[in-house]
């Protein structure tokens, strides 16, 4: 067994049974080299289980014993990375070489000045040698250069002119598709449409298909998909194109036939197609066949992945039933993860009883904690004392999650006081709780007792969290809406 397989096995045991043997193996691995990537992963899983505070203290003592320094896990959230002195930046030449080799180096560790140097150098290379071997690669990278928004207009003009001058060049496909999808200037749309209509059999140019839908008529779009399907037999199972074709035609008979063929050929990576088919399940030609397909292929990875996703989005009775029947088909970790989602997304009595039994049998692991939080809605008499006992030795992140669940279903004076204490401390000295989790806790607190101190804390959190309109900050947006009503 390789080191990789051994670590995965330990992690799976930690996340399911959290057995003493798995804990001992994890701690022994960490002791060998506390700061390597395996140790970091194992420590993260250990801190999600019971007695996290004691394990954090054990790890800090281990670092002191070995003369090492604990990495500051909160610094990336509390101070700009360019002000940190413990980071070694890669050179501009090294970054450009990585880009030329097809990589996409992260900019998070670069100071603003270094980002500007890289930006200017890539732009200079495109301008001085627009037909160079890597000009399209440089442009593709620059177009995702979100950190320097004040230069975006200039960059877009450069990319648009570059595409116009290389009309029909296969190398411009990725750049042109990005520009069409994001901005859609008439001239670029015309180029993409003409390239696709003239050379629809090209694998690279098929990339335009999903991008052009919003710029042309349904009739032309359907024609293009028909030609694409006819001329590209090797791509007929492409989940991306087929799912877009389904959306565009409203799950027409021709595309439904093509989709059935694709699903019969490849059952491994079609969760995207299944998700689109689900939207049209009320159509007579889709519903009965789709349900039968799910039942017949319940052992397939894509079907189980689809069902796991559905558990978080108002699942139907059939989907819950199928998810429950698939619990024995995956690994123990997959089964517990799916069960946790079923419990959170439905009120299936059997699922909740199985989850309760799992918490009793394996009370120390992160899955037990996750299921106990989900059980607050149906078994508060069991879940609430269990969670209150858990958070006595948990770190602030899990304490916040547990208290949020308790306050939603069974608030009392004690838990209210505990939640307020955590929120006040975290807003004043942030670091241990993600802003979105803290926003969720403050939202519940404001609904229960909206006094001036809590309102001040909530506003302070929003100010420190930046743009609350971002999609990944939904809890912050919800908190903002609550404040606007007060």
């Amino acid at each position: 067994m390789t080191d990789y397989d051994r670590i995965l096995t330990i992690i799976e045991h930690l996340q399911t049974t959290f057995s003493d043997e798995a804990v001992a193996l994890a701690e022994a691995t960490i002791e060998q080299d506390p700061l390597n990537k395996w140790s970091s992963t194992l420590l993260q899983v250990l801190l999600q289980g019971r007695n996290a505070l004691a394990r954090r203290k054990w790890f800090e003592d281990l670092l002191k014993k070995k003369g090492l320094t604990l990495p500051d896990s909160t610094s990336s959230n509390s101070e700009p990375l360019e002000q940190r002195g413990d980071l070694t930046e890669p050179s501009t030449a090294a970054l450009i070489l990585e880009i030329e080799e097809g990589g996409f180096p992260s900019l998070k560790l670069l100071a603003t000045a270094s980002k500007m140097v890289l930006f200017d150098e890539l732009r200079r290379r495109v301008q001085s040698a627009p037909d160079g071997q890597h000009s399209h690669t440089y442009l593709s990278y620059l177009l995702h250069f979100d950190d320097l928004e004040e230069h975006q207009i200039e960059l877009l003009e450069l990319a648009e002119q570059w595409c116009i001058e290389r009309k029909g060049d296969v190398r411009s496909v990725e750049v042109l598709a990005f520009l069409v999808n994001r901005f859609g200037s008439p001239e670029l749309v015309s180029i993409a449409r003409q390239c696709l209509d003239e050379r629809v059999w090209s694998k690279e140019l098929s990339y335009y298909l999903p991008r052009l839908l919003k710029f042309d008529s349904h009739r032309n779009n359907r024609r293009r998909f028909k030609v694409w399907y006819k001329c590209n037999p090797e791509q007929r199972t492409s989940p991306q194109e087929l799912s877009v074709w389904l959306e565009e035609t409203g799950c027409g008979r021709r595309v439904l036939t093509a989709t059935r063929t694709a699903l019969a050929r490849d059952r491994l990576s079609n969760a995207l197609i299944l998700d689109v088919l689900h939207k049209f399940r009320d159509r007579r030609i889709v519903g009965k066949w789709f349900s039968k397909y799910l039942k017949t292929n319940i052992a397939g990875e894509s079907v189980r992945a689809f069902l796991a996703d559905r558990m978080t989005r108002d699942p139907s009775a059939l989907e819950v039933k199928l998810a429950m029947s698939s619990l024995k088909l995956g690994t123990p970790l997959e089964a517990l993860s799916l069960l946790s989602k079923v419990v959170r997304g439905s009120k299936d009595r059997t699922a909740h009883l199985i989850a309760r039994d799992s918490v009793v049998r394996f009370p120390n692991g992160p899955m037990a904690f996750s299921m106990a939080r989900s059980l607050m809605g149906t078994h508060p008499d069991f879940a609430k004392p269990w969670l209150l006992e858990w958070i006595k030795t948990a770190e602030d992140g899990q304490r916040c999650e547990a208290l949020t669940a308790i306050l939603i279903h069974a608030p009392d004076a004690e838990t209210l006081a505990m939640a307020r204490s955590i929120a006040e401390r975290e807003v004043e000295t942030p670091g241990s709780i993600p802003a979105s989790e803290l926003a969720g806790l403050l939202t519940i607190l404001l609904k229960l007792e909206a006094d001036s101190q809590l309102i001040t804390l909530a506003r302070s959190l929003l100010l420190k969290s930046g743009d609350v309109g971002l999609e990944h900050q939904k809890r912050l947006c919800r908190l903002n809406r609550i404040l606007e009503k007060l």
Side-chain angles (χ1 to χ4, degrees), residues 71-81 84 86-87 430-431:
D72 187 357
S73 60
T74 66
S75 58
S76 60
N77 296 324
S78 57
E79 72 176 299
L81 283 167
R84 294 172 58 185
D86 60 332
L87 301 174

Side-chain angles (χ1 to χ4, degrees), residues 439-457:
L441 181 62
L442 282 168
T443 299
I444 301 301
L445 283 172
L446 286 172
K447 290 181 179 179
L448 295 173
E449 48 178 20
D451 57 40
S452 59
Q453 184 180 10
L454 279 175
I455 293 174
T456 302
L457 287 174

Side-chain angles (χ1 to χ4, degrees), residues 49 123 310 370 438 476:
R123 180 178 53 183
R310 286 298 311 156
S370 174
L438 188 58
L476 290 166

Side-chain angles (χ1 to χ4, degrees), residues 147-209:
D147 295 70
L148 299 170
E149 295 181 1
E150 65 271 21
H151 299 280
Q152 285 299 299
I153 295 178
E154 175 189 355
L155 174 60
L156 292 173
E157 291 176 352
L158 171 64
E160 182 174 2
Q161 187 61 34
W162 186 87
C163 288
I164 292 172
E165 292 174 356
R166 276 144 205 86
K167 179 179 177 180
D169 188 341
V170 172
R171 292 191 312 155
S172 68
V173 167
E174 187 175 348
V175 177
L176 181 55
F178 179 91
L179 292 173
V180 167
N181 189 50
R182 185 70 67 89
F183 305 101
S185 72
E187 190 165 7
L188 293 180
V189 169
S190 176
I191 292 173
R193 185 184 293 131
Q194 184 178 348
C195 291
L196 188 60
D197 290 343
E198 291 177 353
R199 301 172 58 188
V200 72
W201 57 87
S202 166
K203 181 177 180 180
E204 291 82 9
L205 292 177
S206 293
Y207 190 60
Y208 293 147
L209 273 172

Side-chain angles (χ1 to χ4, degrees), residues 230-245:
K230 179 181 178 181
C231 298
N232 293 275
E234 76 281 359
Q235 295 183 71
R236 289 180 180 179
T237 59
S238 170
Q240 183 181 18
E241 275 80 9
L242 281 175
S243 61
V244 175
W245 192 11

